[in-house]
Amino acid sequence: IVADLEIPGASTITARIERPDVLMSDNVASIAIDEARVLRVLLVCATGDAEADGQWPILDVIREIPRTTVRTISGSAWNDLASTADSSSLFADLVILAGVEPGWARSRRLNVPIMTFGVLPVESLVTLGPLVPGRLIAWDRDHPLTRHLALDSVVFSGAGALESALGGSVVPIAWSEDGVAIACADDGAGRWLSVAFDASESNWPLQPSWPLF
């Protein structure tokens, strides 16, 4: 039996089989569901104004996600957080760096996932060759982030390829003609997802796969 339920908050769901039975205790089962907490996203862009910085594709998608709040800060404000004692002081569950260098985040592990667009997230990634236009030609159809996406129509400008300089810590999940275009990493600098190109310099925000990603 499959049922779609709309549960506004924390609840307990009980299922019961209403029929005579020798052992009635196994005819009922319950599950407790906690209230879904709000996802806090910290969007870092050049001036802190996502619209003016051309990062509206990222901002618009975040705003459409239920139970999600987004806070934007500038690149300089992000660098000022170098004195932050721990990840909890970021007041975020996800950090998105849109065209802003990770800076100090490379030097210590953050217990917050970080997504980057158009910048290198960790020292184990290097840019190969000049920044050139390109398109995505292949992606990992088994990876949780890309297995339900169609990316062959995504074209972009101003991007280099990503390559792992340290081997196992970086997992490529999408490729352009020039090399790795999207990669994941989990190393001494924390958990990262890196897109080699800026979303605003591509047609990806116009593709159905963008909000799914």
Side-chain angles (χ1 to χ4, degrees), residues 24-89:
M24 295 297 293
S25 61
D26 67 353
N27 286 1
V28 60
S30 299
I31 183 173
I33 301 177
D34 294 330
E35 183 176 5
R37 66 187 185 88
V38 174
L39 175 66
R40 302 167 301 171
V41 178
L42 176 62
L43 175 59
V44 185
C45 46
T47 68
D49 186 334
E51 299 284 354
D53 291 336
Q55 302 302 339
W56 58 266
I58 299 174
L59 185 62
D60 285 356
V61 167
I62 296 173
R63 285 173 171 170
E64 292 299 321
I65 301 175
R67 300 189 63 80
T68 300
T69 63
V70 58
R71 178 167 56 101
T72 60
I73 65 173
S74 66
S76 59
W78 168 255
N79 289 326
D80 288 342
L81 292 175
S83 59
T84 300
D86 54 49
S87 300
S88 62
S89 300

Side-chain angles (χ1 to χ4, degrees), residues 12-176:
T12 299
I13 299 178
T14 300
R16 181 180 292 105
I17 300 176
E18 298 287 358
R19 67 180 181 186
D21 197 316
V22 175
L23 184 61
M24 295 297 293
S25 61
D26 67 353
N27 286 1
V28 60
S30 299
I31 183 173
I33 301 177
D34 294 330
E35 183 176 5
R37 66 187 185 88
V38 174
L39 175 66
R40 302 167 301 171
V41 178
L42 176 62
L43 175 59
V44 185
C45 46
T47 68
D49 186 334
E51 299 284 354
D53 291 336
Q55 302 302 339
W56 58 266
I58 299 174
L59 185 62
D60 285 356
V61 167
I62 296 173
R63 285 173 171 170
E64 292 299 321
I65 301 175
R67 300 189 63 80
T68 300
T69 63
V70 58
R71 178 167 56 101
T72 60
I73 65 173
S74 66
S76 59
W78 168 255
N79 289 326
D80 288 342
L81 292 175
S83 59
T84 300
D86 54 49
S87 300
S88 62
S89 300
L90 295 175
F91 299 105
D93 303 300
L94 172 67
V95 175
I96 300 177
L97 303 179
V100 174
E101 289 289 340
W104 58 271
R106 286 197 182 108
S107 63
R108 59 189 177 86
R109 183 179 180 87
L110 296 175
N111 294 321
V112 177
I114 296 181
M115 180 183 297
T116 71
F117 288 88
V119 295
L120 298 178
V122 288
E123 293 176 353
S124 58
L125 291 177
V126 295
T127 300
L128 296 180
L131 301 181
V132 295
R135 66 182 306 128
L136 297 182
I137 59 173
W139 59 97
D140 188 341
R141 288 172 169 79
D142 294 322
H143 195 278
L145 290 174
T146 51
R147 63 186 174 193
H148 297 305
L149 305 183
L151 301 174
D152 53 320
S153 59
V154 175
V155 295
F156 52 84
S157 63
L162 302 175
E163 182 186 35
S164 170
L166 298 181
S169 65
V170 176
V171 178
I173 59 175
W175 295 261
S176 68

